Amino acid sequence: MNIHSSILLAPYTTFKIGGPAKFFCEIKDQFDALTAFEFAKKENLSVFVLGGGSNLLVSDRGFNGLVIRVVNRGVEVIKQDNSGVSIRVASGENWDEFVSFCVKNGWWGLENLSHIPGSTGAIAVQNVGAYGQEAKNVIDSVTVFDTATNQILSFKNSDCGFAYRTSIFNTSQKGRYIIFDIIFKLKKTEAPILSYKDLAEWFENKFPDLEKIRNAVIQIRDRKFPFPTEAKKGNAGSFFKNLQLNAEQYGILKEAVVREFSLEAWEKLDTKVFKEGSLYKIPTAFLLELCGLKGVEIGGACINANQPLVIVNKTGEATSSDVVEVAKTVLNTLKSRLGVCVNIEPELLGFSQSELRDLGRVL
Ligand SMILES: Cc1cc2nc3c(=O)[nH]c(=O)nc-3n(C[C@H](O)[C@H](O)[C@H](O)COP(=O)(O)OP(=O)(O)OC[C@H]3O[C@@H](n4cnc5c(N)ncnc54)[C@H](O)[C@@H]3O)c2cc1C
């Protein structure tokens, strides 16, 4: 394994934004991981673990540390019977290629998570979710390298602390574990999840097969925002998370929407709210539209027109500061007009404490 210096990170991200990493290496196993961490310790460097860079915004100044990219490969069926299959997948495998492989084999569970860029390992980090499905429903266990003890450990699903866009890997234990592989448990019997509005409308009362669901998800997603295959369409998916409010906070939001806009606006929002237990799930995209934030454009970055949760590198030459300014405009407007604090979704690398604070990331 070689450790390289001054490697530009922009090409390793789907935003196509970001300066150089002081050091950069690619690892395939725990021995590479050990070597990399020993190097970082000797040089007194911070470490960042990189997958496909699709949930990441890197600062134009780059990262003054060691970036470790996980590139191990391998897909192995470890158990199966008539009803289901358990598959171990290496972190470095491309996620959507793995989804396609499962769909072709007739294994149910991942089809709603089609057309999401990035690597398989990162799927567990933010408990990736889309179109009514979440990673936590299909993950059996996660194998990690513990950088604190240099040991390989296996976490059961219930050890991972999965919740909306979170797990222990991006909260309480952030930075401690390198995920090396994930075991998924999928079904061989039909199990379509069509509860999500877009899919329910697409299929009405029909009973689609796996391929049809995957194709529908791909087409619906492509209508909303660009798949980042080139710099001009660079993005990191949803930049802003949806809101989860308790009953009191929901009441306060109602007052603000009626005061700032109208009762009709509130009634429209209310029909889009999803109640889960005691929490109200509010679509942040609707709040952005309400506040007229759809047209925000600063430098080369803008709010995507069809799906305003996404910030796009419109010119292909947007800087990280352009993206940060767009994000700040959104967050500040939502706070001042509606009194809500929305969280951002992507990881931020190489930013100053004050930039992080502006984006709601308090360290
Ligand atoms: C067009 C587009 C659509 C998207 N749609 C969705 C969506 O519908 N739902 C959704 O949830 N997300 C979505 N995303 C976000 C993103 O694709 C996912 O979060 C994806 O899982 C990130 O994978 P990655 O390999 O690119 O991770 P990276 O961006 O490289 O890293 C993300 C985080 O995971 C950590 N990480 C990565 N690999 C490992 C590892 N092996 N071990 C430990 N930590 C690791 C990194 O340190 C970082 O904290 C979308 C992004 C884009 C660009």
Side-chain angles (χ1 to χ4, degrees):
M1 184 203 60
N2 297 315
I3 296 180
H4 307 275
S5 58
S6 273
I7 298 294
L8 198 61
L9 290 174
Y12 289 96
T13 73
T14 54
F15 247 135
K16 304 292 177 225
I17 292 174
K22 188 168 184 190
F23 293 102
F24 180 97
C25 65
E26 294 189 328
I27 65 167
K28 290 198 171 88
D29 54 34
Q30 71 183 105
F31 305 105
D32 288 348
L34 260 175
T35 311
F37 271 86
E38 272 166 15
F39 174 81
K41 204 168 163 194
K42 196 171 107 238
E43 300 286 328
N44 200 18
L45 299 167
S46 306
V47 170
F48 180 80
V49 179
L50 178 69
S54 64
N55 204 27
L56 181 64
L57 177 64
V58 180
S59 154
D60 301 321
R61 294 187 296 275
F63 175 58
N64 193 24
L66 170 66
V67 169
I68 297 179
R69 185 159 175 254
V70 184
V71 295
N72 61 338
R73 305 299 296 259
V75 177
E76 181 197 3
V77 172
I78 52 173
K79 207 166 67 185
Q80 62 178 320
D81 57 24
N82 287 340
S83 62
V85 56
S86 296
I87 315 139
R88 184 194 299 276
V89 191
S91 286
E93 289 289 339
N94 176 280
W95 172 250
D96 198 48
E97 284 172 16
F98 173 59
V99 174
S100 165
F101 170 78
C102 293
V103 165
K104 284 194 180 111
N105 275 287
W107 301 333
W108 293 80
L110 304 183
E111 57 285 356
N112 293 41
L113 301 177
S114 289
H115 213 33
I116 296 176
S119 60
T120 298
I123 287 296
V125 175
Q126 75 151 355
N127 176 28
V128 159
Y131 295 86
Q133 179 60 307
E134 276 183 298
K136 68 173 184 181
N137 300 328
V138 280
I139 289 178
D140 179 66
S141 59
V142 178
T143 310
V144 301
F145 174 74
D146 182 352
T147 63
T149 62
N150 294 340
Q151 280 179 315
I152 292 283
L153 305 173
S154 174
F155 287 127
K156 289 189 302 225
N157 178 306
S158 55
D159 299 330
C160 297
F162 290 130
Y164 172 60
R165 297 298 185 270
T166 60
S167 70
I168 58 166
F169 307 113
N170 65 0
T171 55
S172 61
Q173 303 299 323
K174 190 171 161 72
R176 174 166 174 177
Y177 300 112
I178 299 183
I179 298 170
F180 267 115
D181 62 57
I182 301 180
I183 296 179
F184 292 92
K185 226 176 166 175
L186 305 178
K187 291 185 179 138
K188 284 188 180 172
T189 46
E190 273 187 29
I193 301 167
L194 303 174
S195 49
Y196 198 86
K197 190 170 161 271
D198 291 349
L199 281 178
E201 284 172 6
W202 188 281
F203 290 112
E204 291 179 329
N205 292 320
K206 294 184 209 97
F207 294 96
D209 61 18
L210 272 168
E211 288 277 0
K212 287 203 175 98
I213 298 177
R214 173 168 164 80
N215 288 337
V217 169
I218 293 172
Q219 287 180 59
I220 293 168
R221 294 188 72 106
D222 277 344
R223 285 202 307 225
K224 292 189 177 174
F225 59 94
F227 197 80
T229 42
E230 49 180 295
K232 265 195 183 163
K233 293 173 179 167
N235 67 78
S238 296
F239 202 93
F240 306 100
K241 288 188 184 180
N242 286 322
L243 271 173
Q244 301 199 81
L245 302 180
N246 63 29
E248 190 189 345
Q249 293 163 328
Y250 192 53
I252 295 172
L253 176 63
K254 176 179 179 180
E255 278 172 27
V257 172
V258 174
R259 182 191 65 236
E260 290 286 316
F261 301 99
S262 63
L263 186 59
E264 291 74 53
W266 170 257
E267 283 165 355
K268 200 166 168 202
L269 171 61
D270 198 40
T271 61
K272 295 176 186 289
V273 171
F274 179 69
K275 187 135 189 263
E276 202 175 66
S278 59
L279 288 179
Y280 294 80
K281 289 190 158 184
I282 323 287
T284 301
F286 185 85
L287 303 183
L288 261 81
E289 274 195 73
L290 209 53
C291 292
L293 291 161
K294 252 186 167 178
V296 172
E297 188 171 332
I298 296 174
C302 69
I303 292 289
N304 180 62
N306 294 339
Q307 169 45 286
L309 293 184
V310 178
I311 298 180
V312 179
N313 178 356
K314 187 182 172 189
T315 58
E317 286 170 3
T319 62
S320 65
S321 315
D322 296 340
V323 177
V324 167
E325 286 310 312
V326 169
K328 271 166 57 182
T329 305
V330 168
L331 298 178
N332 293 342
T333 307
L334 293 177
K335 177 87 183 97
S336 63
R337 295 199 72 180
L338 300 176
V340 290
C341 292
V342 165
N343 290 320
I344 63 163
E345 200 170 297
E347 277 299 321
L348 302 170
L349 186 64
F351 291 92
S352 68
Q353 297 287 332
S354 70
E355 286 168 319
L356 292 174
R357 257 194 310 275
D358 283 345
L359 294 174
R361 289 273 160 87
V362 184
L363 298 178

